[in-house]
Amino acid sequence: RYEYPSPGSGDSAIDSPPPPPLPVFPPPPEAPPRPPRRMGRNLAVLAAGALIAFGAVAIGAGLSDADSDAAPVALLSAEPVDDVTPTTIAADEASAPVTTDTTAAADPAAGDAAAPTPVIVADGQPVDAAAIGSAVIPSIVTVQIGSNTAQGFRESGSGSGVVIDASGYVVTNDHVATAAGSVIRVVTSDERIYEAELIGTDPITDLAVLRIDADRLQALAFGATSGLRVGEAAVAVGNPLGLDGGPSLTVGVISAFGREVQTDATTVLYGMLQTDAPITSGSSGGALVDASGRLIGITTAVGVSAVGVEGIGFATPVEIVERVVAEILETGAANHALIGITGSTEFTEAADGALVPAGVRIASVTPGSGAAAAGLAAGDLLTAIDGDAVDSMDELVTRLRLYRA
């Protein structure tokens, strides 16, 4: 019921001029690091391909969920909608004034056509959703999948996307870009329509990069999740249900960090942000932004139960987005390194008798792997990667997503 759409031929060639230089992502604001997350789920690491050394140890992932009773998660691409009755949601009118700073430098490679990237300065005041909308909506697009017929373009599904560079690069979800259809179109917030080229995809993180030959694009500034806390504002901007008229905006909070999200029988997304900002079908590939209007995640899935959608949304953290997108732009694909072990979360007993996750107990090491080359052996306790503490198996996988092979 909650499977990815059938793969399509969305990577068909589209005539376009040579691609512009690769973008330089806007730097995230400095923020104090968030304390390491404690988790208590046991997972097993599976060797999922060639083992690639990263320094002394091969870094990598490809895990299976040991729990088979996880709540189902629905991906958010939408079928075409012909007739939808809109619902109006009243906004809080007590928001404090928020200013918009448009002095942020655009990508020099984009030339004079690149618009400045607005950055909202909230100064600790209540979030002004209208100011966030003004800054973010121009960077949100609709991604349409379909085919060209004698009667014109026939849409078979749609999702959302985020302009990450004013020269035409757009990030969306893999399950949007590879849905059934031979043509990908991008519709900007001001309703300009362009055929898009599929630059590359990464099914492991459910990310994809498109390119359009367009001017007057506004890239969304990148933020960071490291300094955020549960309860801080989160704003989702996308195009639910493929409705005409441009993107929509919903407001909520960051509900949790580091969630493990199983989207189908074989696909697990790690390190996901959880939010209660309402997101619906068609919002896949949209933006989750912070109170300053900076990108902190790409909206990907919602939690569902027997009674329907539960008001829980998930987004891929911006740090993973930035790493994967940069590699797709460079090579056309993302290559995730592997560590070459199997293991599970190790628990120790605290003074008061509580069980506390303390690392990953290695059960086996694959011969010839980077882990073997580094001298790791069955029975060892892995507690850190590159000096960053790791206290559970899913935290290990989440951290490994930040490394390339």
Side-chain angles (χ1 to χ4, degrees):
R1 181 183 174 184
Y2 302 109
E3 298 179 352
Y4 286 109
S6 301
S9 54
D11 55 353
S12 56
I14 294 174
D15 293 335
S16 62
L22 301 182
V24 177
F25 296 111
E30 294 185 0
R34 185 168 55 86
R37 181 176 55 86
R38 295 282 179 180
M39 296 172 291
R41 299 189 72 179
N42 288 335
L43 299 173
V45 180
L46 303 179
L51 299 168
I52 308 296
F54 179 86
V57 182
I59 302 297
L63 289 90
S64 64
D65 190 352
D67 297 330
S68 61
D69 57 351
V73 176
L75 300 171
L76 303 175
S77 56
E79 297 297 328
V81 176
D82 297 324
D83 186 15
V84 175
T85 302
T87 300
T88 302
I89 301 176
D92 183 2
E93 298 179 356
S95 299
V98 176
T99 60
T100 300
D101 178 8
T102 59
T103 61
D107 179 15
D112 295 336
T117 302
V119 177
I120 300 168
V121 181
D123 294 328
Q125 299 299 314
V127 175
D128 187 331
I132 291 176
S134 296
V136 174
I137 284 176
S139 302
I140 307 302
V141 301
T142 300
V143 179
Q144 298 176 335
I145 309 297
S147 58
N148 290 323
T149 70
Q151 292 73 39
F153 180 75
R154 182 178 180 83
E155 183 180 330
S156 59
S158 72
S160 302
V162 179
V163 177
I164 57 171
D165 183 76
S167 59
Y169 289 107
V170 173
V171 64
T172 185
N173 283 135
D174 169 75
H175 74 264
V176 172
T178 59
S182 60
V183 177
I184 304 174
R185 301 201 314 182
V186 165
V187 184
T188 63
S189 61
D190 56 357
E191 302 188 13
R192 291 176 288 150
I193 301 173
Y194 301 90
E195 283 200 6
E197 175 188 5
L198 180 63
I199 300 299
T201 70
D202 179 39
I204 290 178
T205 57
D206 197 13
L207 294 171
V209 179
L210 310 174
R211 182 184 171 272
I212 58 175
D213 183 19
D215 56 14
R216 293 183 290 121
L217 296 176
Q218 178 175 294
L220 187 58
F222 276 47
T225 65
S226 58
L228 300 175
R229 299 172 298 170
V230 171
E232 290 195 43
V235 178
V237 189
N239 190 20
L241 304 177
L243 296 171
D244 293 334
S248 65
L249 177 150
T250 56
V251 180
V253 299
I254 295 171
S255 304
F257 296 93
R259 291 302 199 201
E260 176 188 313
V261 178
Q262 184 159 3
T263 57
D264 60 34
T266 60
T267 304
V268 181
L269 303 175
Y270 291 91
M272 301 292 280
L273 298 177
Q274 179 184 323
T275 182
D276 68 346
I279 52 181
T280 59
S281 293
S283 294
S284 272
L288 188 70
V289 302
D290 61 16
S292 295
R294 294 183 184 269
L295 184 71
I296 57 173
I298 295 296
T299 54
T300 300
V302 293
V304 298
S305 70
V307 298
V309 177
E310 293 288 355
I312 299 173
F314 300 97
T316 303
V318 66
E319 290 84 0
I320 293 177
V321 173
E322 186 168 358
R323 201 284 291 176
V324 170
V325 166
E327 190 173 1
I328 289 176
L329 290 174
E330 181 180 339
T331 69
N335 297 295
H336 300 275
L338 300 172
I339 195 169
I341 67 168
T342 62
S344 60
T345 301
E346 175 80 2
F347 291 87
T348 59
E349 187 173 331
D352 62 355
L355 295 178
V356 181
V360 174
R361 182 66 67 183
I362 297 175
S364 66
V365 177
T366 303
S369 67
L376 296 179
D380 287 347
L381 184 66
L382 193 157
T383 60
I385 292 291
D386 276 355
D388 296 319
V390 170
D391 60 10
S392 68
M393 183 59 78
D394 45 351
E395 186 167 17
L396 171 62
V397 179
T398 299
R399 196 163 294 280
L400 295 179
R401 289 290 186 258
L402 300 175
Y403 295 90
R404 59 190 292 179

